[in-house]
Amino acid sequence: MPRVIGLARRYWVVTLTVAVALAGVILAVAGAGWLTQWVFSAYSLGVAGWQSIGMIRSMARREFGLDILAVTAIVSTVLVGEYIAALVVVLMLSGGEALEDYANRRAKRELDALLTRSPQLAHRTMGDGYRDVPVDDVQVGDILLVRPSEIVPVDGVLLSRETTVDESSLTGESIPVEKHAGDTVLSGSVNGQEAVEIRATEQASGSQYQQIVALVAQAAESKAPVVRLADRYAVPFTIFSLALGAIAWAASGDPVRFAEVLVLATPCPLLIAAPVAFIGGMSRAARNGVIVKSGGVLEQLSAAKTVVFDKTGTLTHGTPALTDVRPEAPFTADDLLVAVASAEQYSSHVLAASMIAAAVERGLPLHEAESAQEAATNGVVARIQGREVVVGKFAFVAQHAPDARRTSIAPGELAVYVGIGGVYAGALLASDSVRANARAMLQRLQELGVGQTMMLTGDAAETAQHIATELGITRVRAECLPADKVAEVRGIAKRPVIMVGDGVNDAPVLAAADVGIALGAKGATAASESADAVILVDDISRVASAVEFGRDTVRIALQSIWLGIAVSVVLMAIAAFGLIPATAGALIQELVDLTTILAALRAVGVRLDARQSRMRQRAATTATVLP
């Protein structure tokens, strides 16, 4: 109930219009029907006057939309005594605006998650201890303590010997980065398993994470508004309606003929067709795991010409997976994987889960360690079944197994070396694999008319180019910071531009693109709030589906608008010859409205989804049958 009251207050014009309608019904039942006409007419003219102010301001900016048609229709119907039709126009006008505003409000909360996650306190050295101070009070040169798994509060220089930090929220790269004394650490990155000290090199306002927050705000504010679909047809339809009514009046010499034409020219089909279709399209998208935040987003998706992707976590899975096991005699691949997985049970490294999962998937047993110790940023030393097992970097393993030698790796791969019982046992390779359906998704986008593809990533150029070549992406920009991504997207000529990403580092560029799509299945809240559409399932193919939903929705909206216009034009032509009385015309116009609504409701897409599902099944069957 509080939510309903809140909506009623927010959209007070709709609430007041419904209240006036109910009051008119009560008056009519009480035998004061004449008063109903005055109430309806006065209220409708009041709304028309209020709308006229905005209409005049828009016309001064050379913007012409449905306001012209709506105000003309309201005034005309009141003047000819069609006060019920006037109130219906008011309800459709205010209701359409309310539907659009309700959807669009959800897109204006993109900074909330960023601000919530932004560091609020810092542990500053004070004498022999540390004191918590607001992050805004940190000055350049202050010595700060960053505890295990804490977010670095400001940009600084590492004073401790070494640590590992997770910069995925800034760069999108999933593999932790090793830092040594003197290296730069950025705000927003997450410290590893040991407490460290840093010296602040920037205040909070100038640090990396806070700059991302500012970039999101700037990008969101600079995005151009989308012109409502129906506004494009308002002026021609208004001119045609007035001209036809004037001709009918002049030819017959009867002003009633003008009124009869205008009753059938009320803009209800234009006012309701597009909002109903867009709400239907948004419902269809949500049913398929894609949350679209406004009808304007569907319109932009339908016209998209360029799509830009982040790499890690978007085109790839975002978690390194085991790709190869290279044992050294006398060890076998299973021996190597069992030893590594057993030792990695005692590690917090991002690769540990991948190694353990690979062993479990192969049905290999994991052994409990007699002792285990993790050397931060280097690896793990464990004693398993009486033998020392060392897993980690080459230099670290070589200290325990002097015969260790490096193995060759491809772009995007990471090698984990292993020593068992003081002897080099081999290496395991891991990489962040490309999503299986990524290439098919890109091909589908090509079929839908999104011809230009691009990848923006903070990863190394060699790895980025390797992924792009595998997927057939035409342009690549690697080693990008968030500001670089924003600049690249703003410089693209073929628009509208879709940007697809999944992390906090993608938030600014998602806000800067014409349409930002976030993969939100893994909880990338900041990216999701900054985006115009959010894919709730971990499925990159839904990007193509979102474009398809946009195209279907706009097609159905246009069909519904043209259906309403065509029927109205035919009826106005008949009325121009005096064959449809004004009262009958008002009733017929309601049937036109109903027809338009039913046509627009096809955008809900139940039949479209069923038909596309059947087509996919037939395609899969054909692919199976053909040799």
Side-chain angles (χ1 to χ4, degrees), residues 58 137 148 174 262 273 331 429 469 538-539 626:
S58 297
D137 291 347
S174 57
L262 283 185
F331 301 100
L429 271 58
T469 302
D538 193 21
D539 183 2
L626 291 175

Side-chain angles (χ1 to χ4, degrees), residues 313 316-317 435 437 519 521-522 535-540 542:
T316 66
H317 290 284
R435 293 177 183 267
N437 56 356
L519 295 179
K522 295 182 180 179
I535 297 176
L536 299 179
V537 294
D538 193 21
D539 183 2
I540 192 68
R542 303 300 172 95

Side-chain angles (χ1 to χ4, degrees), residues 9 40 67 100 115 151 251-252 257 326 330 366 416 435 467 473 475 486 502 555 596 627:
R9 288 177 177 174
F40 282 13
D67 293 341
E100 291 181 334
L115 295 174
I151 298 173
S252 64
R257 197 69 58 84
R326 297 177 179 176
L366 301 185
V416 177
R435 293 177 183 267
I467 297 295
I473 292 177
R475 295 178 58 198
V486 171
D502 76 318
R555 173 176 55 81
T596 303

Side-chain angles (χ1 to χ4, degrees), residues 38 82 114 125 127 139 204 241 265 304 313 319 332 383-385 412 447 449 452 457 506 515 592 626:
W38 283 103
E82 293 294 335
L114 281 171
T125 56
Q139 301 297 317
S241 302
T319 53
T332 66
R383 191 160 192 83
I384 300 172
Q385 294 184 322
E447 295 170 1
Q452 182 169 301
T457 178
D506 298 319
V515 179
V592 175
L626 291 175

